[in-house]
């Protein structure tokens, strides 16, 4: 037990130290986990003893991640993605399997082993790719959505792979496995089955998991809901995942595969969000342990025996998969940075590849030496994957947006009001202004947003609002008001600074992401600065006050006073704000904030007390009818 706890502490310390350093260096958390694993495993030799047991815990990170991914995929969503799942994903698996199998045959692998390697190495790492896409906020891009669709296809394809791989076993291999089996339990029973029997057991286990998810889970949750104890809901969620994983393990299948299927079945359950919130903290921690375990599990002895050969195999695998992915990206209409994101994002092997190598070895499809090399190649390709994302980022910066986007619209009219940015913020501004009888020129760099506005009857122009040529065509030299409502903070700053330089008399209204962005816009020359969440947050605070004993009038008065005081404070704090210096490290700024907070509290309390005194003197409470409700 002491050794186990020591190993667990070692993993957690490596996680706490390496991941923040890697994140600050711009490498991402996944590469941080992998580097930590390499350091405590092959390099320092500290991951010994109970490290194997910790790897089993770490594998539950993948199990939970696949379960949570399955929860997000209700049957309607899967049906809507059928073109990408069957077309893009299906072609990727088939073409990559064929290409890798042919390459394996070319280097002397037997046909059965070559086919198995092709199927195994056609898979990519759902754990790494989803984590990286989420961290880098690329999941909603065309490349990110296409990569995710392919990953789902691969996860689903594991089912037939597990079912069909036993059919590739050499004659007599089943008898050899049976002789080496432990002789008890499910392992002995499965080893006694013929290949077709094992396939039937696999399919029966899948059907059983689907039945459990469909018929048993919802009644169970309704039963425990009566306890009204949060920890019981968490226990049920863990029991479900661990139970299904154990069942799949019992029949020799992948636990992650079983939980993924269960997640898909439960995707339309009323307890979906309860399951997600209960398992999310465990998933994050265990996923980190999984990546560390992958790094720690790299066998340097195999690497040292032939480093150039192993390196060549890793690069050949990544290059081969990249070539297939790039061709499919072109075929399915991905362009620019999305094409490279799709290509480099899926070029590695995956965690299911590790599982399938072990399964194929157990079935005597892969020789032990081949399996050891395959495991090392898979692990190293996963280690290489965050670097491929960095390569994509460099390519994305080098690619000129103008070369991958349609030409901007030719603006043939000028209006007194220019609205730069037609997102949620800019659309509301435009609707109110136009419905009040004024004409606007709306600019946005997102072609789909412009087309959507036109569909609903609003005139808008496509192009980058921060480009001087587009602003000139929109009539900046004669406009009365400019509304800077871009999503990109830096682009907003550039737009405001340029407009102020060109038109010192122009009234500029700018959208700010937060208080610190206000200071930048103040320095750039904006006249009115609107924090996108400030007004709505003030309204929410007013509702709180109304529901803890204050009248609507009193709450409204305090909201209005806070609004005035805070706007005044922002102008005051802008004088001591230092660009590029973190707020908490700016001593003058921190002290001024503290002083203003104390001053605000005193003024609001004095205002509230005076209002109450006046009301008491008049013998009546403030009337709610005096309040003008917004929104």
């Amino acid at each position: 037990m002491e050794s186990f706890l020591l190993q667990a502490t070692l993993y957690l310390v490596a996680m706490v130290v390496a991941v923040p350093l890697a994140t600050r260096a711009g490498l991402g958390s996944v590469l941080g986990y992998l580097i930590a694993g390499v350091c405590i495993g092959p390099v320092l030799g500290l991951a010994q003893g109970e490290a194997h047991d910790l790897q089993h815990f770490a594998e539950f990170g993948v199990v939970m991640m696949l379960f949570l991914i399955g929860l997000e995929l209700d049957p309607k969503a899967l049906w809507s993605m059928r073109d990408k799942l069957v077309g893009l994903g299906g072609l990727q698996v088939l073409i990559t399997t064929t290409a890798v199998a042919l390459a394996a045959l070319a280097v002397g692998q037997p046909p059965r082993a070559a086919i198995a390697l092709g199927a195994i190495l056609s898979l990519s790492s759902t754990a790494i790719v989803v984590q990286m896409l989420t961290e880098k906020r690329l999941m909603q891009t065309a490349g990110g959505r296409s990569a995710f669709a392919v990953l789902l296809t691969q996860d689903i394809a594991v089912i037939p792979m597990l079912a069909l791989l036993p059919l590739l076993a050499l004659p007599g291999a089943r008898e050899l496995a049976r002789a080496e089996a432990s002789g008890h339990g499910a392992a002995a029973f499965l080893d006694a089955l013929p290949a077709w029997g094992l396939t039937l057991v696999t399919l029966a286990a899948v059907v059983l998991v689907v039945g459990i998810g469909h018929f048993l889970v919802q009644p169970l949750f309704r039963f425990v809901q009566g306890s009204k104890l949060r920890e019981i809901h968490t226990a049920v969620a863990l029991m479900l995942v661990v139970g299904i994983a154990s069942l799949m393990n019992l029949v020799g299948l992948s636990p992650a595969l079983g939980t993924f299927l269960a997640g898909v079945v439960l995707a339309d359950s009323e307890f979906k969000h309860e399951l997600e919130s209960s398992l999310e903290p465990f998933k994050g921690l265990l996923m980190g342990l999984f990546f560390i375990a992958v790094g720690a599990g790299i066998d340097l002895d195999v690497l040292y025996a032939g480093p150039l050969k192993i390196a060549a195999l890793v690069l050949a695998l990544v290059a081969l998969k990249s070539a297939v992915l790039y061709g499919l990206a072109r075929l399915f209409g991905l362009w620019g940075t999305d094409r490279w994101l799709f290509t480099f994002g899926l070029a590695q092997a995956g965690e299911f590849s590790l599982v399938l190598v072990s399964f194929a070895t157990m079935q005597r499809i892969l020789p032990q030496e081949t399996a050891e090399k395959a495991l090392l190649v898979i692990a190293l390709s996963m280690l290489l994957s965050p670097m491929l994302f960095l390569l994509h980022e460099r390519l994305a910066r080098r690619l000129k947006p103008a070369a991958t986007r349609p030409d901007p619209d030719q603006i043939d009219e000028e209006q007194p009001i220019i609205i730069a940015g037609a997102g949620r913020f800019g659309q509301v501004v435009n609707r109110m202004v136009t419905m009040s009888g004024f004409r606007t020129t709306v600019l946005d760099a997102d072609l789909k947003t412009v087309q959507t506005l036109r569909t609903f009857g609003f005139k808008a122009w496509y192009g980058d609002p921060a480009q001087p040529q587009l602003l000139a065509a929109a009539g900046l030299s004669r406009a009365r008001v400019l509304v800077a409502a871009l999503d990109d903070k830096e682009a907003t700053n550039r737009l405001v600074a340029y407009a102020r330089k060109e038109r010192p008399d122009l009234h500029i209204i700018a959208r700010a992401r937060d208080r610190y962005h206000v200071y930048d816009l103040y320095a750039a020359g904006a006249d009115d600065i609107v924090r996108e969440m400030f007004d709505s947050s003030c309204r929410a605070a007013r509702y709180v006050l109304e529901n803890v004993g204050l009248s609507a009038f009193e709450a409204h008065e305090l909201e209005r006073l806070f609004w005035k005081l805070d706007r005044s404070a922002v102008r005051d704090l802008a004088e001591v704000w230092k660009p590029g210096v973190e707020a908490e490290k700016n001593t003058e700024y921190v002290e001024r904030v503290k002083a203003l907070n104390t001053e605000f509290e005193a003024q609001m309390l004095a205002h509230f007390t005076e209002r109450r005194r006046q009301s008491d003197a008049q013998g009546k409470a403030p009337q709610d009818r005096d309040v003008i409700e917004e929104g």
Side-chain angles (χ1 to χ4, degrees):
M1 173 61 75
E2 291 81 0
S3 179
F4 176 82
L5 291 176
L6 179 62
Q7 288 291 325
T9 304
L10 180 65
Y11 273 55
L12 292 171
V13 168
M15 181 187 302
V16 170
V17 172
V19 174
L21 290 175
T23 304
R24 288 195 175 192
L27 302 178
S29 66
V30 175
L31 188 55
Y33 288 125
L34 293 171
I35 292 172
V38 171
C39 289
I40 65 176
V43 175
L44 300 177
L46 299 176
Q48 299 173 356
E50 278 76 10
H52 185 68
D53 297 327
L54 281 173
Q55 289 176 6
H56 288 304
F57 283 107
E59 288 169 4
F60 266 94
V62 178
V63 168
M64 289 188 179
M65 186 200 68
L66 267 296
F67 180 73
L68 292 173
I69 288 176
L71 280 179
E72 296 296 328
L73 298 173
D74 59 74
K76 291 181 180 178
L78 287 174
W79 180 251
S80 66
M81 296 172 64
R82 62 188 181 279
D83 292 339
K84 285 188 176 179
L85 289 175
V86 177
L88 185 59
L91 282 175
Q92 185 275 327
V93 173
L94 289 174
I95 295 174
T96 307
T97 298
T98 303
V100 173
L102 291 174
L105 283 172
V107 295
Q109 289 293 329
R112 294 171 186 263
I115 295 172
L117 285 172
I120 290 168
L121 297 177
S122 69
L123 305 177
S124 304
S125 175
T126 303
I128 290 179
V129 176
V130 170
Q131 182 96 346
M132 297 294 289
L133 289 176
T134 303
E135 276 187 10
K136 297 179 181 298
R137 300 180 181 179
L138 295 170
M139 185 64 82
Q140 297 307 316
T141 62
R145 291 193 300 270
S146 298
F148 185 68
V150 170
L151 289 171
L152 288 179
T153 305
Q154 292 176 356
D155 294 339
I156 296 170
V158 174
I159 301 172
M161 287 181 187
L162 286 167
L164 297 175
L165 274 178
L167 300 179
L168 294 174
L170 291 169
R174 300 293 301 165
E175 289 72 13
L176 179 60
R178 181 163 58 248
E180 294 180 357
S182 58
H184 65 277
F189 170 73
L190 292 174
D191 284 330
L193 291 175
W196 61 266
L198 187 60
T199 298
L200 289 179
V201 169
T202 301
L203 296 176
V206 170
V207 172
L208 181 60
V209 168
V210 173
I212 290 174
H214 190 72
F215 296 107
L216 296 182
V217 173
Q218 295 201 40
L220 178 61
F221 260 99
R222 291 192 185 98
F223 172 73
V224 302
Q225 200 171 31
S227 67
K228 300 187 182 300
L229 294 174
R230 175 70 181 173
E231 59 269 24
I232 300 300
H233 287 82
T234 303
V236 171
L238 288 172
M239 181 193 74
L240 176 65
V241 174
V242 174
I244 291 177
S246 300
L247 171 65
M248 300 301 277
N249 235 1
L250 193 66
V251 297
L253 299 181
S254 165
L257 173 63
T259 52
F260 173 73
L261 290 174
V264 173
V265 173
L266 292 169
D268 58 352
S269 166
E270 60 191 286
F271 301 104
K272 166 185 173 179
H273 298 297
E274 185 72 32
L275 286 164
E276 288 177 330
S277 61
S278 297
L279 294 177
E280 190 65 37
F282 297 97
K283 189 264 292 186
L285 179 63
L286 292 173
M287 279 304 301
L289 285 176
F290 170 77
F291 292 131
I292 292 179
V294 169
I298 292 177
D299 190 343
L300 290 186
D301 290 337
V302 177
L303 181 61
Y304 292 154
L308 294 179
K309 184 177 180 180
I310 295 297
L313 288 174
V314 173
L315 294 177
L317 173 64
V318 171
L320 181 60
K321 295 190 73 172
S322 296
V324 173
L325 291 163
Y326 185 83
L328 289 173
R330 295 196 63 174
L331 180 64
F332 281 81
L334 291 175
W335 44 272
T337 59
D338 290 316
R339 181 183 296 172
W340 290 112
L341 174 62
F342 179 78
T343 299
F344 290 139
L346 300 174
Q348 77 292 109
E351 52 279 345
F352 276 141
S353 300
L354 299 171
V355 173
L356 289 175
V357 167
S358 301
F359 184 73
T361 306
M362 182 183 70
Q363 298 297 317
R364 300 302 184 272
I365 301 169
L366 293 179
Q368 187 64 37
E369 181 182 355
T370 302
E372 289 177 356
K373 290 181 180 178
L375 288 172
L376 182 58
V377 168
I378 292 167
L380 290 176
S381 73
M382 293 172 71
L383 186 63
L384 194 62
S385 144
M387 301 177 190
L388 293 174
F389 271 90
L390 292 177
L391 179 59
H392 159 260
E393 289 181 356
R394 291 202 169 189
L395 281 173
R397 285 195 293 267
R398 288 192 175 190
L399 287 175
K400 295 181 180 179
T404 58
R405 295 183 180 181
D407 293 332
D409 291 334
Q410 297 296 318
I411 302 176
D412 56 9
E413 64 179 36
E414 296 180 2
Q415 303 298 343
I417 302 165
I418 299 175
I419 299 178
R424 293 173 299 171
F425 186 95
Q427 286 181 34
V428 173
V429 174
N430 183 54
R431 285 173 56 205
M432 181 172 175
V433 171
T434 54
M435 291 175 184
S436 300
F438 295 91
R439 303 292 297 277
T440 63
T441 299
V442 180
L443 311 173
D444 198 275
D446 189 317
L447 184 58
K448 185 176 180 181
T449 298
V450 171
Q451 292 171 340
T452 301
L453 285 172
R454 291 170 180 169
T455 301
F456 286 95
F458 293 96
K459 198 164 188 178
W461 306 91
Y462 169 71
D464 184 356
Q467 292 297 319
Q469 298 89 339
L470 192 71
L471 289 171
L476 179 67
S477 61
R478 286 172 291 280
R480 295 174 57 188
V481 178
L482 168 66
V483 180
L486 304 178
D487 289 331
D488 189 327
K489 291 171 61 174
E490 295 302 322
T492 305
N493 296 342
R494 292 196 304 270
L495 171 61
V496 170
Y498 174 78
R500 176 57 65 222
K501 177 183 175 183
E502 294 295 312
R503 285 284 309 280
D505 60 321
L506 179 67
H507 193 92
I508 302 175
I509 302 166
R511 164 200 181 186
R513 298 295 297 271
D514 50 39
R515 178 185 292 263
Y516 303 142
H517 191 201
V518 170
Y519 305 144
D520 294 332
L521 292 170
Y522 176 80
D527 295 292
D528 293 317
I529 304 171
V530 182
R531 276 175 281 168
E532 58 185 23
M533 298 296 293
F534 181 67
D535 289 339
S536 56
S537 300
C538 287
R539 285 181 58 196
R542 169 157 62 86
Y543 297 149
V544 172
L545 295 176
E546 289 175 8
N547 285 277
V548 292
L550 274 64
S551 69
F553 178 80
E554 291 170 334
H556 178 74
E557 285 286 294
L558 288 174
E559 177 197 11
R560 187 168 60 178
L561 177 60
F562 176 81
W563 188 88
K564 291 171 62 177
L565 291 172
D566 191 84
R567 282 178 60 85
S568 174
V570 169
R571 287 192 293 269
D572 190 0
L573 290 168
E575 302 295 336
V576 296
W577 173 252
K578 297 177 181 178
V581 178
E582 294 180 16
E584 60 271 20
K585 294 181 180 179
N586 185 342
T587 306
E588 186 179 3
Y589 180 85
V590 171
E591 293 304 318
R592 189 62 186 138
V593 169
K594 290 180 179 178
L596 286 170
N597 287 342
T598 303
E599 182 181 332
F600 286 5
E601 186 176 356
Q603 289 189 50
M604 293 185 68
L605 182 59
H607 178 85
F608 177 70
T609 304
E610 178 62 20
R611 283 290 187 182
R612 276 289 172 93
R613 188 191 64 77
Q614 291 177 3
S615 299
D616 293 341
Q618 295 172 4
K620 63 177 182 177
Q623 297 299 308
D624 289 353
R625 66 173 178 270
D626 295 331
V627 179
I628 299 176
E629 178 65 40
E630 311 108 21

